[in-house]
Amino acid sequence: MKILCIGALSMASFYCAQSFPVSSIAENLKKNANAVIRKDFTTIQINKIDDIKYQYYTATTVLNKDGDSQAMVYIPYEKGNSISDVKVTYHDESGKKIKSYSKSDFNDFANNNQGTFYSDNRILALSYTPTQYPYTVEFSYQIGDENTIFLPDFVPFKSTNISLEEAQIKIINNSGIELKTKIYPSKYNYTSVNESDNGSDKTYTYKNVSAIEDVFLLPQTVKILPKVSFALTKFNLEGKQGSINSWSEFGAWYYNSILQPVSVTSPSIKSEVAALNLQGTTEEKVKKLYQHMQEKTRYIAVALGIGGWQPMLPDEVQKKGYGDCKGLSNYMKILLDEAGIPSYYSVINSGASPVSFDADFPKMGGNHVILMVPTEKGNIWLENTSQQIAFNHLSYNTTDRNVLSIRKNGIELIETPVYPAQQNKEKQILKIKLNEDNSILGDGNFSYSGSQYDNTISLVNMSPKDRNEAAKNLLNTLNFEKIEMKNFLNDKDQALAKYDLDFKAINYSKNAGNSMIFRAVPIYSNTVYKIEENRELPFELRQSFEDEYEINYTIPQNFKVEEIPQNVTFNSEFGSYTLKFVNNGTELKVNRIIKVNKGLYPKEKYNDYINFRKKTINNDNSKILITKI
């Protein structure tokens, strides 16, 4: 504590002596920035396995209204945390003090995200409405915790349009426990971290880091910036102490301390499974159990139980009919246990851009739980939080990354499926009647699979009116006068969504004397693709997909097809495109297929991709000419 007190006094002196005029910010840090982090200093003192102290000091200059979110002043905490030395000071553009606040000025709230029903998390928050820009907020506090498993990663910043003057993290390890660290350099040399190791003290620093502009197809900042990760080889979580020298060792602790206490069945659960009279193959049994579970439960976030990491008891989920990803996955696991089918509770990093665990650096992590069922035909993956999602289907938020598969004897890192473009498919079959008043009548059949199936699940619980509005917004390359979605089907066996569409759209064709001109493809992606001469960062295509369209035009009786475009096919490393025409006199068939390959591509190839997509859109818009006979 003596070291910490000296540090606290030093920090207090530093805090009082600072002035942050906006004029002193380097011009390169203002570029593309809504806010500039002037200082971000964290000191972590580890005293023993269940005693850790954090000391935070930040000074952030907000340049405009869009940067306000980066200057929000709040302290998340849990029961048992000790919070002290809270100081907040606001400064004007010149660095002159506007107003100061202390802990007594904060409001105390339950820290529940939308949908969170039960939680031990709380938050102290200060309400402040700026009256002028730019302004600077200094914020410092200390917090103590008994949980030593959650050492934060050290990154320059986490969002786009923020720059950094200086950030430092210092770890003072007086516990005698080994502290493991790992530096992950920026793959794109965006910036680097300086390391200083002085026995039990480790210090890491970033300086002068320019903002990342929020540009088109930008990868997550975590894939661009460097970071430093930390993990104690021995730790405490809500009184449960363990070791994490390896994934195997950590997994054994996780199984015995987190899962085993709640891996319990009950007479009612036994009766529930017996009543289903499961028969057939393992896959058939799992499907019946899974769809039964979906029908009787719903998702509600619960942040209780050993720091929010332990699931609810299965019989509690059964009785109440709800749970979060942990509780529902554990409940599903117990149902499978009762059916004699092994399965594994699997922790994952859920997000649109895949992030995997490091096989060589074990530490607590993940933000979601799914279930894996091994079979002779391959692994079955169960997303247990959705009542609508198909059996053995993972959304794009959980595919193409690894999971921590928790076993009795440890953790195995297992890869989730990768869905190829042909599986992430949209298929349109359109019958279009061209009218002389330039309108069209359409009859369409639409189907979606893979990641494109994920995008349609939101339609399941919509009213017919809302579905029509959703279709109108989704297919907005047409000027709809009326639209009706019919026969919507969520095929939970095949991971396939289907619907039919009847519509009328106006101003589709244009007159040219005795002729009419219209584009070849009625419904297509109308994203604007712009060349960037000075692209500074890589780009990420997050999902592979394939769209296949069959369009059958019926032309007016007194017209004939005069001109059609040439058939075209082209390929690139980013995908392929085909457009073909078949003219049968009064009818014209158009076949169009586009395939796009996911990947993280270097900045030098960005304009090649843009040109590829521009070429596809230009062909979608190629013109057909019909003439009055």
Side-chain angles (χ1 to χ4, degrees):
M1 286 300 295
K2 184 177 181 180
I3 295 174
L4 182 62
C5 290
I6 293 172
L9 289 172
S10 299
M11 187 67 77
S13 301
F14 178 86
Y15 178 92
C16 295
Q18 292 302 290
S19 176
F20 294 97
V22 175
S23 59
S24 66
I25 300 175
E27 287 303 313
N28 70 298
L29 298 184
K30 293 179 182 178
K31 182 181 178 183
N32 300 322
N34 297 321
V36 182
I37 302 170
R38 313 296 293 274
K39 304 293 179 185
D40 184 356
F41 292 164
T42 299
T43 300
I44 302 174
Q45 181 167 306
I46 307 164
N47 297 312
K48 53 185 180 179
I49 195 170
D50 58 355
D51 183 5
I52 189 168
K53 300 291 188 297
Y54 298 89
Q55 183 174 281
Y56 298 102
Y57 171 80
T58 62
T60 304
T61 296
V62 177
L63 301 177
N64 54 56
K65 188 174 179 62
D66 290 336
D68 281 337
S69 61
Q70 301 305 319
M72 294 175 64
V73 175
Y74 59 91
I75 304 172
Y77 73 98
E78 296 180 4
K79 182 180 178 181
N81 293 151
S82 58
I83 301 169
S84 61
D85 295 334
V86 181
K87 298 183 179 70
V88 181
T89 301
Y90 288 88
H91 304 265
D92 66 12
E93 182 175 1
S94 66
K96 181 181 177 181
K97 174 182 168 182
I98 299 173
K99 194 168 183 178
S100 293
Y101 298 90
S102 65
K103 183 179 178 181
S104 62
D105 297 306
F106 282 64
N107 293 310
D108 195 337
F109 303 97
N111 188 13
N112 293 350
N113 295 325
Q114 184 177 5
T116 303
F117 196 59
Y118 292 127
S119 175
D120 280 334
N121 300 329
R122 298 198 65 80
I123 187 169
L124 290 173
L126 179 68
S127 177
Y128 178 81
T129 303
T131 58
Q132 59 186 6
Y133 295 92
Y135 67 91
T136 298
V137 56
E138 282 185 283
F139 177 32
S140 64
Y141 68 95
Q142 295 186 48
I143 186 168
D145 198 350
E146 65 177 18
N147 296 325
T148 51
I149 195 171
F150 303 113
L151 294 179
D153 288 339
F154 182 47
V155 294
F157 40 75
K158 296 180 180 179
S159 304
T160 56
N161 301 114
I162 306 164
S163 61
L164 171 72
E165 282 190 343
E166 183 179 12
Q168 181 186 99
I169 189 168
K170 182 176 183 179
I171 299 183
I172 304 167
N173 185 10
N174 298 326
S175 68
I177 302 169
E178 181 186 1
L179 174 70
K180 291 188 175 182
T181 65
K182 185 169 183 177
I183 296 175
Y184 299 83
S186 168
K187 295 179 180 178
Y188 307 99
N189 297 316
Y190 198 84
T191 190
S192 59
V193 64
N194 294 318
E195 178 183 18
S196 173
D197 191 341
N198 182 22
S200 62
D201 298 359
K202 293 180 182 290
T203 303
Y204 299 85
T205 307
Y206 299 108
K207 288 187 177 181
N208 194 36
V209 184
S210 300
I212 295 176
E213 186 180 5
D214 189 11
V215 292
F216 187 52
L217 299 178
L218 182 73
Q220 286 182 303
T221 55
V222 70
K223 295 187 175 183
I224 297 171
L225 296 169
K227 75 172 181 179
V228 187
S229 286
F230 310 94
L232 285 170
T233 57
K234 295 182 180 180
F235 60 83
N236 178 68
L237 176 61
E238 302 287 335
K240 303 286 186 179
Q241 297 185 359
S243 301
I244 193 168
N245 289 289
S246 66
W247 282 120
S248 178
E249 183 179 50
F250 179 54
W253 172 85
Y254 202 119
Y255 180 87
N256 290 308
S257 299
I258 302 293
L259 297 184
Q260 194 61 18
V262 293
S263 297
V264 291
T265 187
S266 67
S268 60
I269 290 177
K270 290 178 181 291
S271 298
E272 179 182 6
V273 175
L276 293 174
N277 191 27
L278 300 174
Q279 296 180 4
T281 65
T282 299
E283 183 176 1
E284 289 169 338
K285 293 176 182 178
V286 175
K287 180 189 291 187
K288 188 168 184 178
L289 270 173
Y290 177 69
Q291 294 181 345
H292 164 77
M293 184 276 297
Q294 284 183 300
E295 290 173 358
K296 62 172 296 183
T297 61
R298 58 193 175 98
Y299 172 81
I300 291 180
V302 180
L304 298 174
I306 308 187
W309 287 81
Q310 188 171 60
M312 295 168 58
L313 285 164
D315 65 338
E316 188 177 359
V317 176
Q318 184 198 42
K319 292 173 184 176
K320 295 182 176 180
Y322 60 72
D324 62 5
C325 62
K326 305 184 300 294
L328 294 170
S329 293
N330 189 51
Y331 172 54
M332 183 65 206
K333 183 181 186 306
I334 298 303
L335 293 178
L336 289 165
D337 286 347
E338 283 298 328
I341 301 171
S343 63
Y344 298 100
Y345 186 95
S346 300
V347 180
I348 194 168
N349 289 301
S350 175
S353 181
V355 174
S356 285
F357 297 97
D358 184 346
D360 300 320
F361 193 82
K363 66 173 295 185
M364 188 68 141
N367 60 6
H368 188 51
V369 175
I370 57 179
L371 205 63
M372 188 272 283
V373 185
T375 74
E376 293 181 356
K377 295 181 179 179
N379 295 331
I380 294 173
W381 295 93
L382 303 178
E383 169 57 68
N384 301 289
T385 59
S386 171
Q387 294 170 301
Q388 291 81 36
I389 200 166
F391 169 72
N392 196 19
H393 173 80
L394 293 181
S395 76
Y396 53 78
N397 285 317
T398 49
T399 52
D400 193 18
R401 68 204 75 192
N402 63 18
V403 302
L404 304 181
S405 182
I406 313 296
R407 316 294 178 96
K408 184 176 182 179
N409 298 320
I411 281 174
E412 288 189 25
L413 274 69
I414 298 178
E415 299 293 328
T416 60
V418 179
Y419 297 155
Q422 294 86 344
Q423 191 168 344
N424 300 325
K425 189 166 186 173
E426 175 190 359
K427 187 165 185 179
Q428 291 182 19
I429 300 177
L430 296 178
K431 295 180 180 179
I432 303 291
K433 180 184 178 184
L434 293 157
N435 299 318
E436 292 190 52
D437 63 357
N438 305 121
S439 69
I440 56 174
L441 294 176
D443 177 8
N445 308 116
F446 296 75
S447 65
Y448 302 88
S449 62
S451 63
Q452 303 216 56
Y453 164 80
D454 302 331
N455 296 328
T456 63
I457 289 181
S458 60
L459 296 170
V460 172
N461 293 324
M462 287 186 182
S463 67
K465 181 180 178 181
D466 289 341
R467 285 180 181 170
N468 293 342
E469 285 300 314
K472 185 183 294 185
N473 293 331
L474 180 65
L475 312 176
N476 59 6
T477 54
L478 289 176
N479 187 4
F480 291 104
E481 184 177 274
K482 66 176 184 178
I483 186 169
E484 181 182 7
M485 184 185 292
K486 302 184 297 184
N487 304 323
F488 180 85
L489 173 66
N490 175 20
D491 187 339
K492 294 168 68 174
D493 293 330
Q494 302 297 323
L496 189 67
K498 299 179 181 180
Y499 59 79
D500 299 329
L501 208 64
D502 288 341
F503 60 87
K504 180 179 181 180
I506 60 175
N507 301 323
Y508 182 67
S509 60
K510 292 184 179 180
N511 295 324
N514 290 327
S515 301
M516 289 197 302
I517 301 172
F518 56 94
R519 67 173 181 266
V521 180
I523 298 169
Y524 63 100
S525 170
N526 60 347
T527 302
V528 176
Y529 295 93
K530 294 182 179 179
I531 294 290
E532 291 183 27
E533 295 299 339
N534 299 304
R535 179 81 181 196
E536 296 180 350
L537 291 168
F539 65 102
E540 184 177 21
L541 306 179
R542 294 184 176 179
Q543 292 298 323
S544 299
F545 67 88
E546 182 177 276
D547 294 345
E548 180 181 347
Y549 299 170
E550 178 185 308
I551 308 144
N552 298 279
Y553 288 103
T554 300
I555 66 174
Q557 287 186 352
N558 55 338
F559 278 75
K560 66 176 181 177
V561 177
E562 189 74 31
E563 292 181 15
I564 58 175
Q566 294 290 320
N567 293 341
V568 60
T569 296
F570 53 88
N571 299 281
S572 82
E573 66 177 302
F574 311 111
S576 60
Y577 179 90
T578 298
L579 186 66
K580 294 182 178 180
F581 301 87
V582 178
N583 180 12
N584 293 323
T586 58
E587 292 184 352
L588 176 66
K589 178 184 285 189
V590 181
N591 290 105
R592 180 258 203 189
I593 301 175
I594 182 173
K595 184 174 78 170
V596 172
N597 302 322
K598 70 179 293 183
L600 189 60
Y601 296 91
K603 63 182 181 180
E604 291 80 9
K605 295 184 177 181
Y606 178 78
N607 287 335
D608 293 337
Y609 173 71
I610 295 300
N611 286 327
F612 167 71
R613 292 312 303 267
K614 281 188 170 185
K615 190 174 180 181
T616 66
I617 291 177
N618 287 340
N619 278 278
D620 287 343
N621 279 284
S622 57
K623 298 301 186 287
I624 298 169
L625 177 69
I626 62 174
T627 303
K628 186 173 289 188
I629 300 171

